[in-house]
Amino acid sequence: MPNSILCVAEKPSIAKAVAHHLAGGPNSVRVANTSNQFIKNYIFDFAFNNAWGNCSVTMTSVIGHINNMDFELRYRKWQSCQPGDLFDAPVEITVDKDKLGIARNIKEQARYARALFIWTDCDREGEHIGSEVRDIAFGGNPRLEVKRARFSNIERAHVLAAAHNPINLDERQANAVAARIELDLRIGASFTRLQTLNLQTMGGSLSEKIISYGSCQFPTLGFVVDRYFRVKNFIPEQFWGIKLIHQREDIMVNFLWSRGHLFDRMSVILLYERCLNAGQARVTKMQKKPTSKWRPLPLTTVELQKMGSRFLSMDSQRVMKVAEELYTKGFISYPRTETDQFDKAIDLKKLIEKQVGDVHWGQYSQELLNGSFVQPRPGHNNDQAHPPIHPVAYVAGDTLPSLEHRRVYEFVVRRFLACCSADAKGERTTVEIEFGEDFHTSGLVVLERNYLAVYPYDKWESSQQLPNYTLGEQFVPSEATMTDGKTSAPGYLTEPELISLMDANGIGTDATMAEHIAKIKEREYVFTKSRGGGDARAPNDTAQDDEDGRGRGRGRGAPRGRAGRGRGRGRGNAAGAGGSGVQEFIPTPLGIALVEGYDNVGHETSLSKPFLRKEMEVNMKQICDGIKTRNDVVQESLAQYRQVYIRTAEHMDILKAACRKYVLAN
């Protein structure tokens, strides 16, 4: 058996970087072309610390998944069978026709190797791609020993440590992805054919449209439509309150009524008269106490996507693409992680040291090293695979390929430095008074900005300083008036809010949420606009321009699709405060019709709600934990969706009625 090791990475850029690190530099690597213009074979020698010893190494790569799952040929034409038959139709796994050259290269190189060393990303998807590579390599050499590298960035020391400590592929994670792929194929194809073939017969704009279904797409769309109807059906409600002002030391102090506001005018009149009859106000509490604004937690994928959407003028999909490119260049750690706590073994000061030379945050980095460093506060999540996202190498902003790359890299660095800083410190003064009713006011003085000095994405500013009050003193307010106002509608769903809803409800993974959001835009189920844009017409109007609705407070919202008034709460979005270019999602007529149609069908669990998909994600986790098998999960999920499919097919007239109402009415 030749003493040769075949290494396979998930991307060409990773293969090149790892090869250069293991070989000791590019001059020690021989490069051979393959039949795929993007794939190179890097050949060099390396001394492993295990039984492999001194070896000749061939490092190559794939480009993501190699295999493709599809139905057997006789089921692929849309009219070849009933859509429901696809729940049980036989499937086959073949090498994607665009990846045949890549597979051929792996198979050929495997013939000369004693072991296969897999360098795919260390997540579920990476484990599955690794299993694909293994199966193809076995076609050339079934006696191969198979190991994988565990790594989260491509810094040289980290790569060397991974090379010297190979581990086994995680078959459970690979099986979880295999189950998800099969379920997405069967469920997606069945419902897509059912919807499309039936709704196309209605003619008009639907006559040639593919109306796709995805078990993550529809709950994501459901969140957008639900918020849309909250805005559309919102009925402003009048309220009344009491405003109290006291001028002291040339400072106008606004005291807030402890009741906030009430929706009964006569009650407020009576309480206002009580205030006037009191004559004087009495200070019942005067307190000064230290307060803090906590530094942020270490950065996760979900948080990166939300913050990128709020502050970097980029949608979540673009943020992830740029972060992935920064990772493959070796500038940041692996950007797909749920972990928000740093392992104590990581030398964080060494990472900070690399940033000292930067003109923007270099001086701050030096101050951390000079004694201001604080161990980051730990979150509650650890995926046991990757650390939080952080910079692993310094790169000057003007050498990065685009403004987007500079923004994402700068955010990752500033977030990391903020994590390693002290909380911001301040003093909060609280004054409470009795003037027939209870009123209060407060003021903040920021004493130490600390992490805020390097992290402009958080705002915490001093308010106007309050004059001195003493406990028990009495004074006559300068002004006491009765006020009125109306509640305002909530804003349309923003991308950070949508990501939070998906995360909380288990729709997709941290790595796939951005793809699902992009998919509902691509399918023309929603469109986006910048918050604060011009007026928009309702989606059942012919034109779809900008629409703006925001606010905070309580109001009345009519239930979706029914007449009547019911009291509910409406809240404006605070997530976009301080940001620019935050995108709002507004459903198109087709998006509304699909969600309302499925809701009206009367499923026990509507396809527009997250519960079915959330249960599926829980089952995937149970495969990873060894609680369930791949076959168990596939059969259980198919049984659930088959019942939904049968009811949908029986009540297709309801779905058509919704399309007639919203789509064809135009």
Side-chain angles (χ1 to χ4, degrees):
M1 177 68 68
N3 205 29
S4 177
I5 305 297
L6 173 60
C7 295
V8 182
E10 189 170 324
K11 308 172 187 70
S13 56
I14 298 295
K16 181 179 180 180
V18 171
H20 288 176
H21 287 327
L22 296 185
N27 293 334
S28 301
V29 178
R30 181 165 63 87
V31 182
N33 292 324
T34 71
S35 60
N36 185 299
Q37 61 176 322
F38 302 109
I39 304 296
K40 310 290 183 185
N41 290 341
Y42 301 93
I43 304 159
F44 55 93
D45 295 327
F46 184 75
F48 292 94
N49 284 350
N50 56 18
W52 296 343
N54 294 322
C55 297
S56 171
V57 178
T58 297
M59 167 67 77
T60 189
S61 77
V62 294
I63 304 176
H65 284 280
I66 313 171
N67 292 340
N68 180 53
M69 178 183 285
D70 203 349
F71 299 106
E72 289 186 355
L73 188 60
R74 66 182 185 274
Y75 292 94
R76 292 181 193 173
K77 290 185 178 180
W78 282 46
Q79 303 290 351
S80 63
C81 65
Q82 290 298 314
D85 294 344
L86 300 178
F87 280 99
D88 302 304
V91 296
E92 57 186 17
I93 298 174
T94 57
V95 175
D96 191 297
K97 63 180 181 180
D98 295 331
K99 308 288 181 69
L100 288 171
I102 298 175
R104 195 161 47 244
N105 180 54
I106 292 172
K107 190 173 180 179
E108 289 174 358
Q109 298 302 320
R111 292 185 183 135
Y112 312 108
R114 63 174 290 187
L116 172 65
F117 198 8
I118 294 169
W119 288 76
T120 52
D121 295 339
C122 294
D123 56 14
R124 279 190 204 171
E125 218 70 29
E127 297 298 327
H128 188 266
I129 294 171
S131 71
E132 293 179 345
V133 170
R134 175 199 59 201
D135 294 344
I136 290 169
F138 278 167
N141 183 355
R143 298 179 300 280
L144 280 171
E145 179 186 3
V146 180
K147 293 291 182 180
R148 75 113 67 239
R150 181 166 184 162
F151 65 106
S152 58
N153 65 69
I154 53 172
E155 187 186 26
R156 184 172 186 273
H158 191 71
V159 168
L160 290 173
H164 290 308
N165 296 279
I167 61 174
N168 293 323
L169 266 177
D170 190 328
E171 296 292 345
R172 292 173 177 173
Q173 290 199 51
N175 284 334
V177 174
R180 190 262 303 160
I181 291 173
E182 182 175 353
L183 288 170
D184 286 350
L185 172 65
R186 293 187 181 280
I187 296 168
S190 298
F191 279 94
T192 296
R193 291 191 192 181
L194 177 69
Q195 292 175 168
T196 302
L197 293 174
N198 279 276
L199 298 182
Q200 281 184 348
T201 62
M202 300 181 69
S205 60
L206 298 175
S207 61
E208 296 183 0
K209 192 169 186 65
I210 303 297
I211 305 170
S212 76
Y213 171 84
S215 58
C216 284
Q217 289 176 46
F218 263 51
T220 304
L221 173 61
F223 293 133
V224 176
V225 174
D226 184 66
R227 178 65 69 87
Y228 166 77
F229 275 109
R230 283 179 56 195
V231 175
K232 185 173 183 290
N233 295 333
F234 187 87
I235 300 172
E237 191 171 10
Q238 192 164 13
F239 60 80
W240 292 265
I242 301 173
K243 179 181 179 182
L244 192 68
I245 297 176
H246 183 228
Q247 182 173 353
R248 172 174 286 188
E249 300 171 9
D250 295 324
I251 299 174
M252 301 294 289
V253 183
N254 287 294
F255 285 91
L256 304 176
W257 190 24
S258 295
R259 296 181 190 265
H261 56 247
L262 300 179
F263 293 91
D264 187 305
R265 181 173 179 271
M266 186 54 65
S267 295
V268 177
I269 289 174
L270 294 174
L271 294 171
Y272 176 59
E273 289 177 349
R274 180 193 294 176
C275 294
L276 297 181
N277 292 335
Q280 288 190 321
R282 180 173 61 88
V283 178
T284 57
K285 180 180 179 180
M286 172 66 186
Q287 182 183 64
K288 289 189 176 184
K289 65 177 182 179
T291 186
S292 300
K293 184 169 179 62
W294 288 355
R295 61 197 185 277
L297 287 169
L299 186 61
T300 64
T301 303
V302 169
E303 184 72 4
L304 173 61
Q305 292 176 80
K306 291 196 294 186
M307 297 296 284
S309 179
R310 286 180 60 189
F311 296 109
L312 306 184
S313 299
M314 301 162 64
D315 65 33
S316 56
Q317 188 179 42
R318 183 61 187 160
V319 169
M320 291 309 300
K321 180 172 175 53
V322 170
E324 186 80 22
E325 291 168 358
L326 291 171
Y327 159 68
T328 58
K329 292 291 185 182
F331 299 139
I332 67 173
S333 62
Y334 189 58
R336 302 184 187 276
T337 177
E338 300 174 10
T339 302
D340 56 6
Q341 51 187 257
F342 280 106
D343 190 297
K344 292 183 179 179
I346 298 178
D347 189 345
L348 300 179
K349 290 185 178 180
K350 185 177 179 181
L351 295 172
I352 295 172
E353 193 175 299
K354 296 179 180 182
Q355 302 295 329
V356 168
D358 187 82
V359 295
H360 301 292
W361 54 77
Q363 183 177 347
Y364 187 90
S365 301
Q366 188 61 59
E367 290 172 2
L368 291 179
L369 296 174
N370 290 345
S372 298
F373 172 83
V374 177
Q375 189 70 25
R377 63 189 183 100
H380 300 292
N381 303 297
N382 191 334
D383 60 18
Q384 303 297 324
H386 300 288
I389 304 167
H390 63 276
V392 296
Y394 174 71
V395 57
D398 56 7
T399 64
L400 289 169
S402 74
L403 178 60
E404 291 180 330
H405 288 78
R406 292 195 287 275
R407 285 174 177 166
V408 174
Y409 180 75
E410 178 176 349
F411 174 76
V412 170
V413 173
R414 289 185 180 275
R415 176 67 171 238
F416 171 68
L417 296 176
C419 290
C420 299
S421 305
D423 299 335
K425 306 291 185 183
E427 182 180 72
R428 185 171 296 280
T429 302
T430 302
V431 180
E432 295 180 3
I433 65 171
E434 183 181 13
F435 182 58
E437 284 284 294
D438 292 331
F439 296 83
H440 64 273
T441 190
S442 65
L444 170 69
V445 178
V446 177
L447 302 174
E448 300 175 24
R449 287 180 55 77
N450 295 331
Y451 88 88
L452 292 171
V454 76
Y455 195 68
Y457 315 100
D458 275 0
K459 301 297 181 186
W460 201 51
E461 305 290 346
S462 296
S463 62
Q464 186 178 30
Q465 191 166 354
L466 294 177
N468 291 319
Y469 290 93
T470 56
L471 187 65
E473 77 163 284
Q474 295 185 330
F475 62 86
V476 178
S478 307
E479 181 181 334
T481 56
M482 185 170 157
T483 63
D484 67 345
K486 287 186 177 181
T487 56
S488 53
Y492 292 107
L493 203 63
T494 64
E495 188 163 25
E497 291 176 318
L498 180 55
I499 293 170
S500 294
L501 285 169
M502 294 172 71
D503 185 41
N505 288 278
I507 301 303
T509 65
D510 56 349
T512 61
M513 289 178 192
E515 298 171 13
H516 301 316
I517 293 173
K519 187 64 70 176
I520 62 172
K521 290 193 286 185
E522 176 189 323
R523 299 300 186 193
E524 298 181 342
Y525 296 158
V526 303
F527 66 97
T528 61
K529 71 172 190 68
S530 293
R531 169 157 284 188
D535 294 333
R537 300 176 187 175
N540 58 347
D541 290 342
T542 301
Q544 295 171 350
D545 300 321
D546 283 344
E547 184 165 354
D548 186 36
R550 66 186 69 207
R552 183 180 296 275
R554 191 173 90 170
R556 293 180 180 174
R560 186 170 80 221
R562 296 187 294 272
R565 290 158 66 94
R567 184 168 289 185
R569 291 196 175 270
R571 255 200 203 92
N573 171 45
S580 62
V582 178
Q583 295 294 302
E584 292 182 319
F585 285 74
I586 302 171
T588 64
L590 179 57
I592 297 171
L594 290 172
V595 170
E596 185 169 294
Y598 274 109
D599 285 355
N600 290 345
V601 165
H603 295 297
E604 184 176 331
T605 304
S606 174
L607 293 180
S608 70
K609 298 297 184 283
F611 310 116
L612 280 175
R613 182 66 195 203
K614 184 174 185 178
E615 185 175 344
M616 190 187 297
E617 292 291 346
V618 170
N619 285 336
M620 300 301 165
K621 180 72 165 57
Q622 290 184 324
I623 295 176
C624 295
D625 295 338
I627 299 172
K628 291 184 177 180
T629 67
R630 169 187 170 181
N631 186 64
D632 291 339
V633 170
V634 169
Q635 295 308 316
E636 287 175 16
S637 296
L638 288 179
Q640 289 179 311
Y641 277 93
R642 184 182 281 109
Q643 292 304 311
V644 176
Y645 174 92
I646 292 171
R647 185 170 181 83
T648 301
E650 291 173 346
H651 296 84
M652 184 54 63
D653 58 315
I654 296 177
L655 196 57
K656 288 183 176 181
C659 289
R660 198 172 294 115
K661 174 182 177 182
Y662 291 102
V663 182
L664 300 184
N666 290 333

